[in-house]
Amino acid sequence: MLQRVDHVGIAVEDLEQALALFRDALGVERVEFDEVPEQGVRVAMLMLPGGGKVELVQPLAPDTPVGRFLARRGPGLHHIAFGVADVRAAMEAVAARGLELVDREPRRGAGGASVAFIHPRSAMGTLIELCQRDAGVASGA
Ligand code: CO
C-alpha cells in the first residue's frame, strides 16, 4: 500500500525563519508555497533535486492542530507522509486493520494532494499522512 516516502513534515513557528536554515544555510533552492486554510497552515515545500521533499508547516493560528503541537512540543518533526495510489482505498484498508484515522474523509493537502492522517496512537507515536498526488485522476495507473 505504501509506495514511497512522499515527504517529511516539520512544524515551525515561522516559515521565513525556517527558510533561513533550509534555503539559505542548507542550500535548498526550489521551494513551493501553499496555504491550506482548512488545515490552518501555511506550507513551504522544499523540493530537493534528488526527488525528496520536506514540508515546513507553520500554523495560521495557535488554535489549530499544528499550533497546539507547537505549544505542546515545540518546533520539530511533525509527520511522515507516504505516497499511496488511492487514498480512500488506503483509509479503508488501515481502518479494517484496526488503526485509528484522524480523518473520516480525505482532505486537501499542500500542492493539491488528497491526504488523510493515521493517529499517532495507532502508529508508535508517529503521525502518518497517506498522500495521493494524482487526486482526481482515476486510480489504476
Ligand atoms: Co504533509
Side-chain angles (χ1 to χ4, degrees):
M1 181 170 61
L2 306 183
Q3 299 185 328
R4 65 187 183 282
V5 175
D6 187 272
H7 63 271
V8 171
I10 299 178
V12 304
E13 308 271 3
D14 181 78
L15 278 189
E16 287 309 316
Q17 192 183 44
L19 285 171
L21 170 65
F22 285 97
R23 186 181 54 200
D24 305 335
L26 294 176
V28 179
E29 291 179 2
R30 212 175 129 214
V31 182
E32 293 184 1
F33 295 90
D34 198 2
E35 190 165 309
V36 188
E38 310 92 282
Q39 291 192 42
V41 294
R42 278 182 68 216
V43 167
M45 193 69 88
L46 309 173
M47 315 293 281
L48 305 180
K53 297 194 286 287
V54 175
E55 181 182 58
L56 305 174
V57 186
Q58 176 197 310
L60 292 171
D63 185 28
T64 57
V66 178
R68 287 189 288 273
F69 176 93
L70 281 174
R72 216 168 48 240
R73 310 260 297 264
L77 282 177
H78 180 258
H79 64 274
I80 182 164
F82 293 102
V84 297
D86 181 334
V87 69
R88 281 185 188 277
M91 291 171 77
E92 285 172 19
V94 300
R97 289 163 197 162
L99 305 188
E100 182 184 347
L101 286 159
V102 175
D103 303 293
R104 290 181 188 281
E105 289 290 322
R107 49 171 135 162
R108 185 178 91 78
S114 184
V115 308
F117 288 90
I118 300 173
H119 199 285
R121 274 195 292 270
S122 286
M124 298 185 162
T126 300
L127 180 61
I128 292 180
E129 176 183 334
L130 304 168
C131 178
Q132 179 185 344
R133 283 278 162 204
D134 57 345
V137 177
S139 60

